[in-house]
Amino acid sequence: MSEDVVRDANGNALADGDSVTLIKDLKVKGSGGVTLKRGLLVKSIRLTGDPEEIEAHVDRVRGLVLRTEFVKKA
């Protein structure tokens, strides 16, 4: 895993198990037209090896990878 600190859109450090909120509506590719709305709370994120991406599970999509530029720490 990378030594880089994973940061949200506001510059706050993120860790495994944190909760984040989406700051933009996101269309999920390959999910049959699911759109995640701004303000959605995503619980228990997991860090990936990339400091610009996190892995999350939401109701309709499992194993979702989100860019950190679209989330803020809850």
Side-chain angles (χ1 to χ4, degrees):
M1 185 172 261
S2 176
E3 302 296 329
D4 295 330
V5 176
V6 178
R7 298 196 179 273
D8 68 2
N10 294 332
N12 298 317
L14 296 173
D16 281 332
D18 282 348
S19 295
V20 296
T21 304
L22 296 181
I23 61 171
K24 179 181 177 181
D25 289 354
L26 300 174
K27 292 182 181 176
V28 181
K29 294 181 181 178
S31 65
V34 172
T35 300
L36 302 177
K37 298 293 184 179
R38 180 180 65 194
L40 177 70
L41 180 65
V42 180
K43 297 179 182 177
S44 300
I45 63 167
R46 289 192 303 165
L47 303 182
T48 64
D50 186 345
E52 295 181 359
E53 295 179 344
I54 58 172
E55 187 174 334
H57 296 297
V58 293
D59 294 340
R60 298 161 289 206
V61 184
R62 303 307 256 169
L64 179 66
V65 175
L66 295 171
R67 304 269 309 165
T68 55
E69 64 192 278
F70 300 124
V71 299
K72 67 178 180 178
K73 192 169 185 175

